[in-house]
Amino acid sequence: MDEAETILVADDHPVFRDGLGSLIQSQNPTAAVHTFDAFSDALALARSLPSPPSLFVLDLFFSRKSIKSELPALRREFRRAAIVVVTMSDDTATIDAVMAAGVNGFICKSAPPHQIAAAIAAVRAGEIVTPSPAAGRAPAGGMSTTLSERQLEVLQLIAQGKTNKEIAQDLGLSPFTVRLHVSAMFRSLGVTTRAAAVTKGVSEGIL
Amino acid sequence: MDEAETILVADDHPVFRDGLGSLIQSQNPTAAVHTFDAFSDALALARSLPSPPSLFVLDLFFSRKSIKSELPALRREFRRAAIVVVTMSDDTATIDAVMAAGVNGFICKSAPPHQIAAAIAAVRAGEIVTPSPAAGRAPAGGMSTTLSERQLEVLQLIAQGKTNKEIAQDLGLSPFTVRLHVSAMFRSLGVTTRAAAVTKGVSEGIL
DNA sequence: TGGCCACTAGCACGGTTGTACTAGTGGCGC
DNA sequence: GCGCCACTAGTACAACCGTGCTAGTGGCCA
């Protein structure tokens, strides 16, 4: 579906980290899953990647303070990535604080694997997942596909029902060029028609 | 884990209800999935069962008022059941009101099947799921457009990127007939392309 | 009974789409 | 410098799309 999709897992507990990594890898066979024992390492790789990762799964080695600084900063820097926090402490205050930072999911480490898997799948599908009570509104969407600027522009105009000719006029391009962007965008989304591209765009939260 | 597990689905929209029912059934092969076109019918069966259902999936045919009465009542009566609300209107106020009633999940009807499936799986695994605000807009007032059954079916298949020929095969029709449905549906929606039709369908909450 | 509507099926035609090629430019990292 | 990638522009072609016509069936309602 998306050739170079990257997922980053950071957790300082080796056993849990490896288990989590293989769980996610088996759930997303086509994705490149990288695991780290420190958040800073994951962040460093994320920044060095040609295209940003689609999913962060992070242990909460955040102090109370950095929940309010590092986490929102991560959210801002990787607007299009889904962020899931996995942690031991699942008290309401922590959940609220983390969700308020704009992450897409909060999972308790004590949860059984199938529960963690379901939660991650739901987040990757665009939902917001929290363990228990918490009406914590969360902004920003996670998306697992990356499009270039032009491709995104083209997709938005396609969603408006415009023809390639009209898109070319709108963007000040040749219709031939528009076609190439359309084809490339289709390949990125794994579709072959404009209609399917719109559906995909909506489900990915980019429309 | 679930020898006689029962799942109740209530939705007054036939096409969506059936799709939802088979989606859930395929996701939970061992469960007995019952579908209803009215909430009261589902409730009646739930009460008549020897053991309470494990999951309710309900369309939001609740008026604003009954969100604050029927829904919490259901929650109280079936404490151990998971309750998922599926609806057209996904404005923040409605989401807050429904979640405050103590349900386990809130899914927008405009969400693609895989997203709905993931959300239900997460809820069944014990999570709380709320929609990402990035997904389909559905301004209050319901859908302003009426499509015939065939037109809706055609639109749903178009959203999957199918060609007229493929749609004809799926529905057992002639490609010529499909074309007419497509054209009629376009007129109803006030669009001229498939891509725009999908966009319109999402914004109307019928996809 | 006649009118209306949804649904079915077909033909013809012009325009659009999507892909497969080539080919040049500018930016970025190694 | 070299490769890679996004972006630009073009040609050619097969397939598909959307609309305009005609025409028949069955249901519903006044």
Side-chain angles (χ1 to χ4, degrees), chain B residues 9-56:
Chain B
V9 179
D11 191 325
D12 55 351
H13 192 165
V15 176
F16 191 87
R17 179 180 62 239
D18 293 343
L20 194 57
S22 56
L23 178 72
I24 294 173
Q25 182 70 78
S26 68
Q27 211 179 8
N28 307 276
T30 65
V33 178
H34 301 274
T35 62
F36 307 87
D37 62 356
F39 172 61
S40 53
D41 295 346
L43 185 58
L45 178 64
R47 284 175 174 153
S48 73
L49 286 172
S51 62
S54 62
L55 173 65
F56 288 91

Side-chain angles (χ1 to χ4, degrees), chain A residues 104 106-107 111-112 114-116 118-119 121-122 124-142 158-163 192-199 202-203 205 207, chain B residues 1 92 95-96 99 106-108 110-112 114-116 118-119 121-136 158-163 192-200 202 207:
Chain A
N104 304 83
F106 188 108
I107 307 173
H114 77 270
Q115 183 171 351
I116 296 178
R124 286 175 62 70
E127 312 276 359
I128 304 293
V129 176
T130 59
S132 62
R137 260 320 59 82
I158 281 179
Q160 294 171 25
K162 307 213 173 187
T163 67
T192 55
T193 69
R194 297 157 103 81
V198 171
T199 301
V202 170
S203 76
L207 278 179
Chain B
M1 190 193 289
T92 312
I95 294 175
D96 287 343
M99 295 311 291
F106 188 110
I107 307 174
C108 186
S110 63
H114 73 88
Q115 185 171 350
I116 296 177
V123 165
R124 287 177 59 70
E127 312 275 0
I128 304 290
V129 175
T130 59
S132 159
I158 282 180
Q160 295 171 23
K162 306 211 174 188
T163 67
T192 56
T193 68
R194 305 176 154 237
V198 171
T199 302
K200 192 83 177 174
V202 170
L207 276 182

